Amino acid sequence: MNFTSPRRKFARAAVAGLALIGLLSACGGSGDDASSGSSGPVTLPFWGWANGQEAVVKAFNASHKDVKLKYTKVTDQLTMQKQLTNAVKAGNAPCLVQNTAEYVTTWVSQGALADITTYVEPSKDKFNAGSWAGAQVQGKIYGVPTSSAPAFTIYRTDIFEKYGLKPPATWDDFIAAGKVLKKHGIKITNYAGEDPSTLEVLAMQAGAHWYAIDGNSWKVNFQDEGTLKAAKVIQEIIDNDLNSKLSFADYAAVQRNYDKGGTATRQISTWQMAGMVQNFTKSNGQWALSPWPTFQGEAAKTPAGTNQSGGVTLVTKQCKNQRQAAEAALWMSTNTGAVKTMASPETGNGVMPALADSNAYIAEAISSKLLGKNYEPAKKVVTDSLATVTTDWTFGPNWTAMFTELQSGWAKVMNKEQKVTDLLAHMQKWTVDDLKSRGINVKG
């Protein structure tokens, strides 16, 4: 929610004509050690966009004699998907690719990724359950987790104190606080018209499953109980005009709005705090963290999808040195120096590691400048969030195409041209039809 999300605009990748084995295309890799007999070190092309990766690659190369990484910085997540699509088609995909969990199933369905289970399964216990789940499809591992996405609310303490409000514990509390703030010209949240991740993460939290595997078919359900529960919350916020409607196309304007008190809360993860630190000039020290709101009467549950989804370093099927690539990816995700570099908002992206013991990095991933006296209490909020993350969400094989369609309908919801439930009914039919058109077995 309230994210910068250019990756959401990634155009649908063509997967028609897939030679399916079960639910997905053939996924195994057979390119391991193809150049093991050649002289000199093995060179592994690595594409990524995150701050700090050049430093990590430099450290890897300095500490490894027989394997070297050749890093290419891609502009962003959107550009990555497009360039990888072209590279796969041309037969010259890099060995290692930075990506996020939501795209793994799509790339597997296109036969682009190598099954590296044999090489990384022994390291499973080094990673937290949510991050590990994001790197696999049908029990096979296609990459190494790089980051977690603890999710929480960040709110303006001065505004909440001024109007006698407490940080919302439930979504009902959130709406009630929004109605109070509205009287004073302040919005409780921001819904960007191009970013329907709000709907996704609330549905995930409510126990929804838009995609599920049912025997040899995909099951699609955009109208289950959890999704409708999420839709009700979102619709009430929109109907009561409790949300700002600022597009992240003007990122600076969104940040100024938060800084000046036009919008009082965000549901975010640690990496999004970096943008606030870099852009705020008025409100530093006046922000605090509170747990992600729950649905009334339910236990805490943190969504793990969309911009909350963990990062992953993928190994491509075209890589001729898959074992070395998998081992290099493991090093980047577990080496203490590499992890610290990426966790810091100053040297990296401010992301939480995917490690099982990632609590040790919380202090570096949140900002004392932004939080002020609320910095120490914030550590527990992040720790608790990591312990309640969702692990049973499945990204479908046409996720990118589906999300592009969802974006179009979301804009109409924001403009009050249709209800959230109208959008969900459309997405149910559209997604089933789209999967069928790709020759993928589907129920729904």
Side-chain angles (χ1 to χ4, degrees), residues 354-405:
L355 300 174
D357 62 348
S358 57
N359 288 354
Y361 300 91
I362 290 175
E364 298 182 20
I366 61 176
S367 169
S368 58
K369 178 182 178 182
L370 183 67
L371 299 172
K373 66 181 181 180
N374 305 304
Y375 173 74
E376 287 299 327
K379 294 179 182 178
K380 184 177 187 302
V381 174
V382 177
T383 300
D384 291 347
S385 171
L386 286 168
T388 59
V389 68
T390 305
T391 60
D392 61 350
W393 181 262
T394 300
F395 294 103
N398 66 338
W399 182 266
T400 49
M402 180 281 294
F403 206 93
T404 299
E405 183 68 17

Side-chain angles (χ1 to χ4, degrees), residues 44 67 95-96 144 313 315 319 321-330:
L44 306 173
V67 179
C95 277
L96 294 164
V144 175
T313 303
V315 178
C319 180
N321 301 280
Q322 293 169 13
R323 176 179 61 80
Q324 291 96 328
E327 291 171 353
L330 280 170

